Amino acid sequence: GENVEQHPSTLSVQEGDSAVIKCTYSDSASNYFPWYKQELGKRPQLIIDIRSNVGEKKDQRIAVTLNKTAKHFSLHITETQPEDSAVYFCAARPPGGYSTLTFGKGTMLLVSP
Amino acid sequence: DTEVTQTPKHLVMGMTNKKSLKCEQHMGHRAMYWYKQKAKKPPELMFVYSYEKLSINESVPSRFSPECPNSSLLNLHLHALQPEDSALYLCASSQEEGRNIQYFGAGTRLSVL
């Protein structure tokens, strides 16, 4: 089955800095890679996703890059703000009607004012 | 509307109690999921229903019993739980299983005494 590794487990940055979270996956057939943000006590919320037919996707301050050859994908947050503080989970999913998301272990991002 | 509604928000139960968690979505999604999430860990998949039929059971103990009465509702019946079952139980839905974005509910925080 799919295995997703996520690093770092904790990331502390100053407000205005950039933050990068990296994930690697094991199943070369995986073709869908979402990122979820979960604030303390709240639900995971999809913030951005990427499919294997593109290498990069951007939405305002958030971008995701995908390297299929190396089987890794990364989340980039620029101009971080205190409200970006949360746990971020990456996930990967192979194709197929019965495939499910495999999550990374999560990264706690702390943005200090 | 991307709302998945879960009730109750909090639940405290004894090991001999029987209780049920409820999940509802009105987005016309045909796949619904139950996840269990422990603190600072990623969501762990428990069950997947596709077109109201159970398609995945991730070897969950029988004290957890899912039910999908119709395409909008998903229940999780609980009986004879253990203290280690205390966790956040998340429901999610997607347009179809294995495809498309998963939207999460806010979860039920369960404490087993």
Side-chain angles (χ1 to χ4, degrees):
Chain A
E2 176 63 277
N3 182 52
V4 177
E5 299 281 339
Q6 183 172 347
H7 298 280
S9 56
T10 306
L11 179 59
S12 295
V13 299
Q14 291 290 121
E15 184 176 359
D17 288 350
S18 294
V20 180
I21 302 170
K22 298 182 180 182
C23 289
T24 59
Y25 60 99
S26 60
D27 187 344
S28 57
S30 285
N31 63 355
Y32 177 63
F33 308 93
W35 285 89
Y36 284 86
K37 173 184 179 182
Q38 188 173 26
E39 295 176 61
L40 189 63
K42 298 199 174 175
R43 77 186 76 194
Q45 287 200 295
L46 181 75
I47 54 170
I48 196 165
D49 58 9
I50 192 167
R51 298 184 190 273
S52 59
N53 58 346
V54 297
E56 184 175 0
K57 185 175 178 181
K58 193 172 180 182
D59 182 4
Q60 299 183 324
R61 296 186 298 110
I62 294 173
V64 57
T65 58
L66 172 64
N67 183 327
K68 285 189 293 184
T69 304
K71 290 190 285 186
H72 68 70
F73 57 112
S74 300
L75 178 71
H76 305 254
I77 306 174
T78 57
E79 299 170 27
T80 54
Q81 300 166 3
E83 50 266 36
D84 294 329
S85 297
V87 178
Y88 291 79
F89 293 103
C90 65
R93 187 180 68 209
Y98 293 99
S99 65
T100 58
L101 289 175
T102 299
F103 286 89
K105 289 192 183 330
T107 296
M108 180 174 290
L109 174 64
L110 301 169
V111 181
S112 304
Chain B
D1 180 13
T2 56
E3 191 74 23
V4 177
T5 305
Q6 288 187 246
T7 55
K9 286 186 169 43
H10 302 276
L11 179 62
V12 180
M13 60 187 289
M15 289 190 283
T16 58
N17 292 158
K18 285 185 182 181
K19 297 285 185 184
S20 296
L21 310 185
K22 296 185 184 303
C23 175
E24 191 168 359
Q25 56 85 16
H26 295 289
M27 296 179 277
H29 289 176
R30 302 316 299 265
M32 296 184 77
Y33 310 77
W34 279 116
Y35 288 88
K36 173 182 177 181
Q37 188 178 30
K38 291 279 205 179
K40 299 183 182 180
K41 299 288 185 185
E44 293 176 42
L45 184 66
M46 300 173 73
F47 302 104
V48 182
Y49 271 82
S50 179
Y51 289 85
E52 299 155 55
K53 288 186 168 41
L54 183 65
S55 67
I56 294 179
N57 176 342
E58 292 284 6
S59 303
V60 179
S62 60
R63 57 186 185 269
F64 295 92
S65 175
E67 179 197 18
C68 189
N70 60 56
S71 60
S72 299
L73 292 174
L74 185 65
N75 298 323
L76 186 62
H77 303 297
L78 314 173
H79 173 53
L81 294 194
Q82 305 296 310
E84 58 265 30
D85 296 322
S86 299
L88 180 68
Y89 288 84
L90 292 162
C91 174
S93 71
S94 66
Q95 196 168 340
E96 288 189 1
E97 182 181 4
R99 296 163 65 182
N100 309 109
I101 298 163
Q102 284 189 26
Y103 296 93
F104 283 87
T108 294
R109 189 159 299 282
L110 174 68
S111 297
V112 182
L113 303 179

